[in-house]
Amino acid sequence: MNKISKLLIAIMAISAIGCVTENRGASSKAEVVQEVILSRRSIRDYKEEPVSREEMGKILECGIYAPSAMNMQPWAVRVVDNKEFLDDVTAIAVKQNPKIAEQPNFRNFFRNAPTVAFIACPEVSYSGEYDSGLLSENMMLAAWSMGIGSCCLGSVVPVMYTEEAKPYLERLELPEGYKLLVGIAFGYPADENTPAAPERDANKAYYIE
Ligand SMILES: Cc1cc2nc3c(=O)[nH]c(=O)nc-3n(C[C@H](O)[C@H](O)[C@H](O)COP(=O)(O)O)c2cc1C
C-alpha cells in the first residue's frame, strides 16, 4: 500500500469515527435537554447567596433567545438581587398578610430567593404575555441546567401594585404602558433533594385523527 492509499484510509477512518461521535453527541444532547425539562421543579427555599451575575447573564441570554411573534421581543426583564429591596417588599407583603411569614424557614416573600427577575410586557400587545411566558421558561430551564432553582411567582404582582409598594414598582423602570406579569425567584436550592413533580394530566394533549 502506498503512502497516499494509507493516508486516504486514515482520513476515511477518522471521518467514520467522527460520524459516530457526532451521532452519539446528538442523541446525548436530546437526552440532556429532555432531562433538564422533565426534572425542573419549582424550588421554594434557597440559600442566601444571590445567583452570580455571570450566571444570571447566561440565564438572561437564554431568556431573550426565546421565540417571539415577529421577533418583537415585547418583554421587559428586571433582575433584583438587592437584599434591602426584597426585604422591604417582603415587609409590605407581610403587613398585608401576616400569615405568609408563618411558612417554615420564612426569610422573604419570594420563597426565600436572593435573586428575583420581574417580567413585564405591554398592557396592550398581540402576544406579549405568550412571548414573555416563553422567555420565562427559557430562563428557568437554563437556570436548572446550571444547578440554579427557580419558581414563578404570580403572588408578587398584586403586592407590587399596592400603594405602599409603588416606590419599588417605580424602581423597576418598566417602560410606559407595561404591566408586571410575574416575578421569578432564582437561587441555589437550600435542599439538595428536588421536590417530586406534581401530577400531570396527559389527556390534555392528544392527536386528532
Ligand atoms: C404563572 C405562574 C404563577 C405561579 N405562581 C406561583 C406562586 O405565586 N407561588 C408559588 O409557590 N408557585 C407559583 N407557581 C408555580 C406553580 O405552582 C408550579 O409551577 C406548578 O405547581 C407545577 O410544579 P413544578 O413547577 O414543580 O413542575 C406559579 C407558576 C406559574 C406558571
Side-chain angles (χ1 to χ4, degrees):
M1 210 183 293
N2 64 24
K3 270 187 183 168
I4 292 178
S5 305
K6 276 185 189 165
L7 189 65
L8 276 174
I9 288 170
I11 289 170
M12 280 160 69
I14 290 166
S15 311
I17 291 166
C19 280
V20 171
T21 27
E22 205 175 282
N23 281 344
R24 249 195 243 136
S27 97
S28 79
K29 191 163 126 188
E31 280 165 16
V32 168
V33 171
Q34 289 162 25
E35 148 69 15
V36 170
I37 291 171
L38 294 174
S39 67
R40 180 214 56 82
R41 295 278 70 79
S42 291
I43 300 300
R44 296 188 171 90
D45 196 13
Y46 299 91
K47 292 182 179 157
E48 288 189 47
E49 180 194 354
V51 177
S52 77
R53 292 200 171 189
E54 196 188 344
E55 286 172 304
M56 211 55 215
K58 183 49 81 179
I59 291 169
L60 287 167
E61 185 187 357
C62 290
I64 63 170
Y65 269 81
S68 64
M70 291 172 281
N71 193 30
M72 282 191 297
Q73 306 166 52
W75 42 64
V77 183
R78 304 290 182 258
V79 183
V80 178
D81 61 6
N82 176 334
K83 187 174 180 314
E84 206 180 303
F85 183 116
L86 301 178
D87 286 349
D88 288 354
V89 176
T90 296
I92 294 167
V94 171
K95 203 169 141 198
Q96 288 163 10
N97 179 9
K99 271 194 166 300
I100 57 176
E102 291 170 14
Q103 284 156 8
N105 310 322
F106 181 85
R107 266 200 330 268
N108 83 17
F109 171 57
F110 304 91
R111 297 288 187 185
N112 291 347
T115 302
V116 177
F118 293 88
I119 314 292
C121 78
E123 277 159 6
V124 182
S125 147
Y126 169 63
S127 62
E129 293 192 15
Y130 192 97
D131 296 338
S132 300
L134 295 171
L135 160 121
S136 300
E137 178 68 337
N138 263 20
M139 288 175 67
M140 292 190 286
L141 291 175
W144 192 239
S145 76
M146 295 155 70
I148 296 165
S150 67
C151 186
C152 241
L153 297 173
S155 49
V156 163
V157 178
V159 172
M160 291 302 286
Y161 278 108
T162 58
E163 198 52 38
E164 257 188 296
K166 208 171 170 185
Y168 300 93
L169 186 65
E170 281 170 8
R171 277 172 68 180
L172 296 183
E173 300 175 352
L174 299 182
E176 188 68 27
Y178 269 55
K179 63 177 178 184
L180 192 58
L181 290 171
V182 84
I184 308 179
F186 286 99
Y188 306 108
D191 189 343
E192 58 189 36
N193 298 315
T194 304
E199 202 181 327
R200 263 43 177 195
D201 180 359
N203 295 321
K204 288 189 185 271
Y206 55 85
Y207 277 98
I208 300 295
E209 300 296 352

